[in-house]
């Protein structure tokens, strides 16, 4: 009933007499539940497929596979921390890949220059999103949904929907496929992006401001924080991460295809929301996002090794996202 | 006295092992107005929430009309004649007044399942006529003033024939006239034989309105007594447990001397105006001065403060701090000039509720806690600064990283003040600094304002409690309908003088 839904009571907490709260079982489950689920899932796959799952090669493949999804999820964590959404990531990945690959393949542009143009393009897309959302005050949900559509349209205009694979420099192909200290370079790129964004969110002044904006935008503004600029920066960071993922995907495939990045929507959001249910429950946090991305990849890898179809993987991933959001909501309520 | 309407025995509620209410027992009778008073955190809200069915108590019994009664939900409570009005308005903004009045009730029907709009308007109009006949039941509820919206909530209770009406701080943000009207309505509800439970921090209205007072302290009911048997001082004593000499609340006068009239002004405001809202206003502010802004709700007090801070754009005029013009394009310019704002609504404008005390304290001055690497604040230095301010302002918190959401109102307010002291601001602009906080914390906030003044800072205070302005200000500037209508200096400052200027000379006797 509506009357009850709007019923709220101003909290009056007896803080002065509040003693240190004992670590409850519920708190522990909340904090480490997703992590425990990850470990259990891992063990189950080890038992079910002892020859193929827990091998060094498979685990390396698993990490390399998760890299692009994780990188986009890291970027998304930044905008979600500030209470915004970015639904244009698929469009950004597609357009970045189309532009970078076409420049090298069709216009013979040197690969470093193509990458620089890709970076500038990503920044432009982030500024466009951020300007309309933070600057003018439009809803991030609708604007990024619309912008993603526009980016995909431009992508289609550039490529005509054709796959582009010839005349791509070997150096570009090596970006995501070189082996460094036993691991794919894509994994190292993921590690680097993780470290940068982790430092940003957790140790810098800017990161504190980002969490403040997410907590209470008006109070943040009245504390002298440039809310518009920092929110715009969030969209730029997400766009850059999407562009980096696009480079890894194109480099690994040695091609641009019009399906690039299209499957990224669900797993990236699922990783971030799973992450919000772990470590610091109820809060988007980068460590959580990493665990979330790893969890999803373990499931997808394990189910594939058990010869289950892609359809099953999608169903399981979707169910996990819903479960993660429920878990985060329940924790928020309990907190 | 007759049988009690409601009897509560040994109510107990713990949150996470912390006892919020313990062995609370009291009775409510028909035809009385009961004041429920106590400091923030004394357990008032917990008791009310338990009666409203919003929380389930750990122990205790409730009898309604002599029958055991267990509330299961707010809906269930209302069905049995218990109506609750909390500080937040529980109305659905885009619906009509009538729909809001009838919310949750059985709606009049016609032609089988279809509801009868005419019946709804008639029933709503009938109830509203007793409260304020200028409210149109067909109009949208969000077009009404806050006071009228509260009346709509009361109308909902009356329509359901509520026998116990609980009002939690109902006069927050109401004008004096509206408060008088609300008190009349309370008396009319009493005349119908119902019971009004009136929760308030304003002891003045407790004395003028209530028949009986229930005092809570530290989760216990410590006093139930006829209002006529209490004095202001004795009530304060019971509320505070006698620990604090908070009776100073009313009688206390400014202790720091007014700065000399020829002192170089710290801040100079000339013809500051926001068209159609407030101004033009001009004044000088000297170091050590405490300037009060008086006026009724809607007179433009908060709006003036927001202009000074750059939170809203002015349409003309100038502000100088230490002789240097300030371009008020936003809060950051005001902050660089040394101006700080303690906003009206600390929970929504002043604090990041999920942040800890430390993160809130350093939020406006994070750049000053630099470490060797630029942009990376040093936690060690943050902790040291926070600890010092917690000590200096006597913030009661479990530790420096406790989320401020869990602090009491007074302690939350101290954290907002700490945020600006960490920046060493020169001009502190306080909007309703003591709204909704208990007497002990109020006294401490007056002490903080006093010490800022003694340290040569300038303070501007807006307060709806004029006795507060009388107590702490060197000078009071009065606004009426956006215009600066008078300035009172030193000994001229009195509640009567402020009120007279608020209402204009015609009704100076109010």
């Amino acid at each position: 009933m509506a009357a009850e839904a709007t019923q709220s009571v101003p909290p009056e907490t007896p803080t002065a007499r509040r003693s240190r709260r004992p670590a409850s079982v519920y708190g522990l489950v909340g904090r480490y539940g997703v992590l425990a689920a990850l470990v259990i899932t891992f063990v189950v796959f080890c038992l079910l497929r002892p020859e193929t799952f827990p091998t060094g090669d498979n685990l390396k493949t698993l990490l390399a596979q998760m890299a692009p999804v994780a990188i986009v999820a890291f970027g998304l964590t930044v905008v979600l921390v500030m209470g915004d959404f970015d639904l244009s990531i698929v469009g950004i990945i597609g357009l970045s890949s189309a532009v970078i690959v076409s420049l090298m393949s069709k216009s013979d542009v040197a690969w470093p220059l193509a990458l620089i143009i890709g970076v500038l393009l990503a920044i432009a897309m982030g500024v466009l999103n951020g300007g309309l959302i933070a600057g003018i005050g439009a809803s991030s949900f609708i604007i990024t949904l619309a912008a993603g559509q526009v980016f995909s349209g431009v992508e289609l205009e550039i490529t005509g929907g054709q796959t582009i694979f010839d005349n791509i420099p070997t150096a570009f192909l090596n970006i995501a496929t070189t082996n460094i200290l036993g691991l794919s370079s894509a994994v190292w790129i993921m590690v680097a992006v993780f470290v940068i964004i982790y430092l940003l969110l957790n140790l810098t002044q800017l990161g504190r401001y980002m969490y403040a904006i997410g907590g209470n935008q008006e109070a943040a503004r009245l504390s002298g924080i440039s809310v518009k600029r920092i929110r715009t920066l969030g969209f730029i960071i997400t766009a850059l991460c999407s562009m980096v993922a696009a480079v890894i995907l194109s480099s690994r495939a040695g091609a641009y295809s019009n399906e690039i990045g299209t499957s990224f929507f669900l797993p990236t959001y699922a990783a971030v929301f799973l992450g919000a249910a772990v470590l610091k429950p109820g809060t988007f946090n980068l460590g959580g996002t990493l665990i979330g991305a790893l969890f999803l990849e373990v499931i997808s890898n394990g189910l594939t090794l058990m010869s289950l179809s892609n359809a099953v993987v999608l169903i399981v991933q979707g169910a996990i996202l819903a479960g993660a959001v429920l878990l985060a909501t329940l924790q928020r309520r309990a907190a | 006295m007759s049988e009690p309407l409601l009897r509560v025995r040994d109510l107990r509620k713990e949150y996470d092992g912390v006892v919020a209410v313990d062995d609370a027992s009291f009775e409510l009778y028909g035809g009385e107005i009961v004041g429920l008073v106590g400091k923030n955190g004394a357990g008032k809200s917990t008791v009310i929430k338990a009666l409203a069915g919003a929380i389930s108590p750990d122990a205790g019994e409730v009898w309604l009309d002599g029958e055991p009664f267990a509330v299961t939900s707010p809906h269930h409570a209302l069905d049995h004649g218990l109506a609750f009005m909390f500080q937040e308005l529980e109305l659905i903004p885009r619906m009509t007044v009538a729909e809001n009045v009838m919310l949750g009730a059985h709606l009049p029907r016609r032609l089988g399942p279809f509801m009868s709009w005419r019946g709804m308007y008639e029933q709503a109009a009938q109830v509203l006529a007793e409260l304020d006949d200028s409210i149109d039941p067909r109009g949208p509820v969000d077009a009404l003033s806050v006071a009228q919206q509260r009346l709509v909530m009361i109308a909902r209770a009356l329509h359901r024939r509520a026998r116990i009406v609980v009002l939690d701080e109902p006069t927050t943000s109401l004008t004096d006239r509206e408060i008088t009207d609300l008190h009349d309505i309370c008396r009319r509800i009493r005349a119908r034989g119902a019971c009004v439970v009136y929760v308030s921090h304003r002891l003045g209205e407790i004395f003028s309105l209530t028949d009986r007072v229930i005092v809570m302290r530290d989760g216990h009911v410590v006093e139930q007594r006829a209002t006529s048997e209490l004095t202001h001082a004795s009530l304060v004593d019971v509320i505070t447990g006698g620990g604090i000499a908070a009776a100073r609340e009313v009688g206390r006068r400014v202790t720091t001397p007014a700065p000399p009239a020829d002192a170089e002004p710290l801040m100079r405001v000339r013809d500051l105006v926001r068209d159609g809202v407030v101004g033009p206003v001009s004044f000088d502010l000297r170091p050590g001065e405490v300037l009060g802004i008086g006026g009724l709700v809607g007179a433009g007090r908060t709006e003036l403060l927001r202009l000074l801070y750059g939170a809203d754009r002015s349409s003309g005029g100038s502000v100088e701090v230490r002789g240097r013009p300030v371009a008020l394009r936003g809060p950051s310019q005001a902050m660089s000039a040394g101006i700080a704002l303690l906003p009206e609504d600390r929970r929504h404008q002043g604090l990041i509720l999920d942040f800890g005390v430390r993160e809130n304290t350093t939020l406006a001055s994070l750049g000053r806690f630099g470490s060797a690497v630029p942009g990376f604040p040093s936690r060690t230095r943050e902790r040291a600064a926070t600890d010092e301010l917690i000590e200096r302002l006597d913030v009661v918190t479990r530790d420096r990283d406790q989320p401020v959401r869990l602090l009491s109102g007074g302690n939350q307010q101290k954290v907002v003040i700490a945020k600006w002291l960490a920046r060493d601001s020169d001009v502190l602009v306080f909007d309703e600094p003591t709204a909704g906080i208990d007497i002990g914390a109020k006294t401490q906030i007056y002490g903080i304002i006093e010490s800022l003044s003694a340290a040569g800072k300038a303070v501007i205070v807006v307060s709806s409690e004029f006795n507060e302005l009388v107590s702490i200000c060197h000078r009071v500037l009065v606004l009426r309908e956006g215009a600066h209508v008078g300035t009172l200096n030193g000994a001229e400052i009195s509640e009567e003088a402020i009120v007279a200027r608020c209402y204009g000379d015609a009704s100076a006797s109010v």
Side-chain angles (χ1 to χ4, degrees):
Chain A
M1 167 174 294
E4 281 162 40
T6 52
Q7 194 84 257
S8 65
V9 181
E12 181 174 309
T13 313
T15 310
R17 289 171 290 122
R18 177 173 281 265
S19 60
R20 186 169 286 275
R21 181 194 297 199
S24 65
V25 176
Y26 191 87
L28 282 176
V29 170
R31 199 146 213 212
Y32 300 109
V34 175
L35 204 55
L38 169 61
V39 173
I40 292 166
T41 314
F42 194 88
V43 172
V44 168
F45 283 131
C46 288
L47 295 174
L48 289 175
R49 284 290 177 275
E51 300 87 23
T52 47
F53 185 77
T55 62
D57 277 349
N58 184 47
L59 296 181
K60 284 177 195 170
T61 310
L62 189 154
L63 287 176
Q65 280 297 329
M66 78 178 265
V69 171
I71 290 169
V72 177
F74 296 158
L76 279 180
T77 308
V78 176
V79 280
L80 284 164
V81 156
M82 287 188 275
D84 287 317
F85 275 91
D86 191 340
L87 304 180
S88 66
I89 47 169
V90 171
I92 297 174
I93 295 170
L95 183 55
S96 305
S97 172
V99 167
I100 294 170
V101 175
S102 315
L103 282 173
M104 292 184 301
S105 168
K106 296 182 178 163
S107 316
D108 286 320
V109 172
W111 69 270
L113 185 58
L115 286 186
I116 291 169
I117 292 172
V119 167
L120 296 177
L121 177 71
I123 292 175
M125 290 189 277
V127 169
L128 181 73
N129 276 336
L132 292 172
I133 294 159
I136 298 174
S139 143
S140 67
F141 202 85
I142 300 299
I143 290 294
T144 56
L145 193 62
Q149 192 80 346
V150 171
F151 300 153
S152 297
V154 177
E155 171 193 346
L156 189 65
E157 182 62 31
I158 293 175
T159 62
Q162 300 298 309
T163 302
I164 306 168
F165 52 84
D166 37 39
N167 195 23
I168 295 176
T170 319
F172 181 78
L173 303 181
N174 288 341
I175 290 177
T177 52
T178 310
N179 210 317
I180 302 168
L181 300 175
L183 289 171
S184 157
S185 48
V187 177
W188 294 111
I189 295 172
M190 171 177 79
V191 170
V193 174
F194 178 85
V195 169
I196 292 168
I197 297 184
Y198 186 87
L199 292 177
L200 170 77
L201 282 180
N202 294 292
L203 293 180
T204 67
Q205 187 173 335
L206 198 56
R208 185 81 59 81
Y209 287 175
M210 286 173 166
Y211 274 107
I213 290 170
N216 185 342
Q217 202 169 323
E218 182 60 7
R221 184 179 84 91
L222 292 177
S223 298
I225 295 171
S226 334
V227 174
K228 291 179 185 179
R229 248 181 271 168
I230 297 177
R231 279 175 75 196
T232 305
L233 181 65
F235 286 102
I236 295 175
I237 291 172
T238 309
L240 284 171
C241 287
S242 304
M243 175 263 171
V244 170
V247 169
I248 293 176
L249 293 169
S250 323
S251 162
R252 188 182 286 159
Y256 157 82
S257 94
N258 63 0
E259 298 213 324
I260 195 163
T262 46
S263 64
F264 268 45
F265 208 70
L266 194 120
T268 49
Y269 273 90
V272 183
F273 277 90
L274 270 172
V278 70
L279 301 182
K280 298 176 189 167
T283 313
F284 294 110
N285 66 94
L286 204 69
T289 301
L290 179 68
I291 291 171
L294 188 61
F295 188 26
L296 290 169
E297 195 57 43
V298 165
I299 288 171
S300 130
N301 177 286
L303 293 180
T304 311
L305 288 180
M306 293 178 66
S307 315
L308 289 170
S309 70
N310 206 28
V312 176
V313 176
L314 290 183
I315 291 168
V316 171
Q317 285 192 339
I320 287 173
L321 175 58
V325 174
L326 283 177
L327 200 61
T329 311
L330 290 176
Q331 276 158 1
R332 188 115 198 118
R333 202 176 294 168
Chain B
M1 220 177 235
S2 57
E3 257 316 280
L5 213 48
L6 186 91
R7 181 196 293 272
V8 175
R9 275 287 160 270
D10 302 330
L11 194 73
R12 182 180 168 86
K13 178 69 186 175
E14 282 186 22
Y15 291 107
D16 293 327
V18 179
V19 181
V21 170
D22 197 9
D23 293 338
S25 302
F26 58 90
E27 290 84 35
L28 300 175
Y29 296 90
E32 65 169 356
I33 300 178
V34 180
L36 178 58
V37 296
K39 296 192 289 184
N40 286 338
K44 306 187 298 282
S45 288
T46 308
V47 165
I48 294 173
K49 281 189 245 178
L51 291 182
I55 58 166
S56 45
D58 301 328
E61 287 162 89
V62 178
W63 286 271
L64 186 67
D65 298 324
E67 306 270 325
F69 176 63
V71 203
T72 51
S73 70
H75 180 65
H76 179 236
L78 189 56
D79 281 345
H80 286 82
L82 274 67
F84 296 84
M85 256 139 286
F86 298 110
Q87 288 169 43
E88 278 110 84
L89 294 165
E90 290 145 21
L91 297 170
I92 303 187
R94 275 172 206 82
M95 284 190 168
T96 62
V97 170
E99 285 172 287
N100 273 291
V101 169
M102 312 282 286
L103 206 60
H106 290 288
L107 301 180
R109 299 261 173 95
R110 59 188 277 267
L111 301 176
F114 300 102
M115 66 180 195
S116 157
W117 284 92
R118 189 193 295 170
M120 260 178 76
Y121 291 136
E122 276 168 7
Q123 289 192 15
Q126 210 178 341
V127 187
L128 286 166
E130 290 184 45
L131 302 172
D132 178 351
D133 50 19
S134 72
I135 300 177
D136 175 11
R138 293 165 191 264
V141 79
D142 43 3
L144 301 178
S145 72
V146 172
Q148 288 177 320
Q149 293 188 355
R150 280 185 204 277
L151 294 184
V152 171
M153 289 172 53
I154 293 176
R156 188 188 293 165
L158 295 186
H159 176 256
R160 300 296 297 276
R161 314 218 177 285
R163 290 176 301 159
I164 296 176
V165 179
V166 181
L167 304 171
D168 191 2
E169 290 282 345
T171 49
T172 309
S173 72
L174 298 194
T175 64
D176 287 356
R177 172 61 52 73
E178 290 165 343
I179 291 172
T180 313
D181 291 344
L182 181 71
H183 288 179
D184 283 343
I185 288 165
C186 290
R187 293 187 184 102
R188 262 180 272 154
I189 296 174
R190 173 177 62 186
R192 290 170 151 217
C195 171
V196 177
V197 178
Y198 199 94
V199 183
S200 179
H201 283 304
R202 299 186 185 182
L203 300 188
E205 54 181 10
I206 293 294
F207 279 100
S208 64
L209 180 67
T210 65
D211 305 309
R212 203 158 59 89
V213 180
I214 298 175
V215 184
M216 294 195 68
R217 190 174 70 229
D218 299 334
H220 297 271
V221 172
V222 291
E223 181 79 281
Q224 290 193 70
R225 196 181 276 274
T227 313
S228 55
E229 295 171 22
L230 289 160
T231 64
H232 194 284
S234 69
L235 182 55
V236 167
D237 224 42
V238 183
I239 292 173
T240 58
I244 307 164
R248 300 198 306 168
E249 188 208 12
V250 174
R252 184 172 165 282
R253 298 292 305 199
V254 192
T255 55
T256 50
D262 56 352
E264 190 61 27
L266 188 57
M267 184 190 226
R268 194 191 292 269
V269 176
R270 287 292 172 272
D271 300 320
L272 192 65
V273 61
R274 182 172 164 92
D275 288 334
V277 178
V278 66
V281 175
S282 303
F283 61 87
D284 286 344
L285 196 59
R286 293 180 290 270
E289 189 169 29
V290 181
L291 173 70
I293 312 268
L296 304 173
V297 170
R301 298 169 305 172
T302 295
E303 291 77 4
L304 175 62
L305 299 193
R306 288 177 63 90
L307 289 187
L308 287 174
Y309 186 65
D312 294 325
R313 292 292 191 89
S314 60
S315 39
S318 63
V319 175
E320 282 177 17
V321 174
R322 294 190 193 285
R324 245 175 289 154
V326 187
L328 291 175
R329 283 191 304 272
S332 46
Q333 279 88 6
M335 281 166 60
S336 329
I339 306 173
L341 173 71
L342 191 88
E344 189 180 16
D345 181 345
R346 58 183 166 262
R347 296 171 59 82
H348 296 110
Q349 300 171 327
L351 294 167
I352 314 289
L353 292 173
D354 289 330
F355 270 21
V357 174
R358 169 179 58 89
E359 290 168 311
N360 271 294
T361 301
T362 58
L363 192 63
S365 52
L366 211 45
R368 302 183 179 197
F369 297 96
S371 61
V373 193
F376 287 74
S378 149
R379 300 242 167 140
T380 320
R381 296 181 55 191
E382 272 189 65
R383 284 185 196 121
T386 307
D387 286 348
E388 191 207 310
L389 283 161
I390 286 176
E391 171 90 33
R392 185 166 144 204
L393 302 181
D394 193 21
V395 181
V396 180
T397 172
R398 192 186 66 203
D399 58 54
R400 68 170 99 80
D401 288 313
Q402 181 170 32
V404 295
R405 181 187 294 285
L406 303 176
L407 301 185
S408 70
N411 286 302
Q412 287 180 342
Q413 195 68 294
K414 289 183 206 164
V415 174
V416 186
I417 296 176
K419 175 169 78 175
W420 297 116
L421 296 190
R423 263 193 83 80
D424 204 22
S425 308
D426 291 329
V427 179
L428 294 107
V429 178
F430 287 3
D431 198 352
E432 299 281 4
T434 62
I437 69 178
D438 64 65
I439 290 172
K442 271 185 187 179
T443 313
Q444 288 180 315
I445 288 187
Y446 301 149
I448 293 167
I449 292 175
E450 211 168 70
S451 67
L452 289 169
S453 156
K457 312 285 187 191
V459 183
I460 304 180
V461 183
V462 159
S463 174
S464 293
E465 293 182 44
F466 295 157
N467 60 355
E468 203 165 272
L469 297 180
V470 175
S471 300
I472 60 176
C473 296
H474 297 116
R475 191 153 56 109
V476 174
L477 193 145
V478 182
L479 299 178
R480 183 170 72 234
E481 288 164 22
H484 177 191
V485 293
T487 304
L488 301 163
N489 285 295
E492 293 166 21
I493 306 173
S494 69
E495 279 191 70
E496 297 73 31
I498 298 173
V499 169
R501 279 162 186 74
C502 284
Y503 285 100
D505 293 326
S507 55
S509 57
V510 170

